Amino acid sequence: MAEKSSIFDMIGPVMIGPSSSHTAGVVRIGRMGRKVLGSQPTKAHITFYNSFARTYEGHGSDKAILAGLLGMQTDDKRIKTSKEICEEQGLEYEFKPVGNASAHHPNTIKLVLTNSQGNTVEVLGISRGGGIIAIKEINGFECNFSATNDTLIVQAKDKKGAISFIANIIANDDCNIGAMTVSREGKNKMACQFIEMDSPIKEMSINYLNSLDWVNEVIYLSAVDKD
């Protein structure tokens, strides 16, 4: 079934820059990469695919992605000087254009981010227009969430009852699950649940999930335009 767009998607967000796809959407992908990492990166390897590879400099997508990694919102006037701010704050970055990647959406960006503690994450995102984004892959696990809702990511051993167990924890916090994607390396190997919720989960519940011996990592992502 084709994804539906609202009139608000077509109008687009309040933003700095010439294009909702090339600036607002890109800022939001950068912000989401920062949230997955859990801190501001000190190193960023950024790959622009397809149409982005041909236009990222002229349309300001290079400045926009750096602004998102710095935690800026789409309407922040400092987006125009994000490269200078990266230099001031010690964020090293490298751009790589890949112009003919048929497997990817025309407006695709891959981020490989490292923070000061040496932690690294990989995030693949697309800009759908109107400032709307979709996160398609995190650390090699396929997903598909919009980042407009609070999202819980649980990487754990692929075991019977894991999905219902985690869903019950969320239900006990009076949270409703709006959407869920489950990706796994293979049967009885590592799996990753991407759970979009209508309201935030309690910190106590996150800590509890993190304490379970069969859970490898829990990442809680507030909606992309929060914070």
Side-chain angles (χ1 to χ4, degrees):
M1 181 181 294
E3 294 179 276
K4 296 181 179 179
S5 297
S6 73
I7 189 171
F8 300 104
D9 296 342
M10 290 179 272
I11 291 172
V14 177
M15 64 182 190
I16 299 293
S19 162
S20 61
S21 289
H22 289 81
T23 51
V26 174
V27 170
R28 286 173 168 164
I29 291 171
R31 284 174 57 80
M32 188 49 53
R34 175 189 173 102
K35 287 173 182 280
V36 173
L37 183 62
S39 60
Q40 181 169 304
T42 54
K43 295 181 180 180
H45 183 87
I46 302 159
T47 304
F48 290 99
Y49 291 97
N50 301 327
S51 67
F52 269 174
R54 297 185 289 274
T55 61
Y56 75 92
E57 291 178 297
H59 286 200
S61 301
D62 49 353
K63 296 177 181 178
I65 194 67
L66 295 176
L69 295 177
L70 291 167
M72 297 181 195
Q73 293 279 9
T74 58
D75 60 351
D76 196 314
K77 295 181 180 178
R78 296 174 299 162
I79 290 174
K80 298 176 182 178
T81 58
S82 60
K83 290 184 177 181
E84 290 80 358
I85 296 173
C86 283
E87 186 173 348
E88 293 170 2
Q89 297 191 12
L91 198 170
E92 301 176 13
Y93 60 88
E94 177 185 3
F95 297 126
K96 179 182 178 181
V98 178
N100 188 19
S102 59
H104 291 304
H105 182 279
N107 296 338
T108 298
I109 299 175
K110 182 171 74 174
L111 304 172
V112 180
L113 309 175
T114 305
N115 64 14
S116 58
Q117 288 75 46
N119 300 319
T120 299
V121 298
E122 183 175 308
V123 177
L124 188 75
I126 66 172
S127 178
R128 293 176 45 211
I132 305 302
I133 68 170
I135 303 302
K136 306 299 288 186
E137 188 176 297
I138 293 180
N139 294 334
F141 290 98
E142 293 183 2
C143 56
N144 185 24
F145 63 91
S146 65
T148 56
N149 297 312
D150 294 277
T151 303
L152 187 69
I153 302 173
V154 183
Q155 187 181 120
K157 293 178 182 177
D158 180 38
K159 56 179 287 182
K160 293 178 181 178
I163 294 174
S164 60
F165 181 90
I166 294 169
N168 189 54
I169 296 294
I170 294 170
N172 285 335
D173 278 358
D174 199 27
C175 291
N176 185 50
I177 295 175
M180 177 188 293
T181 303
V182 180
S183 176
R184 63 180 187 173
E185 296 173 340
K187 186 177 180 180
N188 299 322
K189 293 184 178 180
M190 196 62 67
C192 198
Q193 298 181 35
F194 301 89
I195 306 166
E196 296 181 77
M197 304 172 295
D198 293 338
S199 57
I201 189 173
K202 294 178 182 176
E203 185 176 358
M204 181 185 302
S205 299
I206 297 172
N207 292 337
Y208 172 65
L209 288 171
N210 258 320
S211 71
L212 300 173
D213 58 7
W214 52 275
V215 173
N216 184 50
E217 183 180 26
V218 179
I219 301 173
Y220 173 65
L221 305 174
S222 58
V224 70
D225 284 331
K226 289 182 181 180
D227 305 337

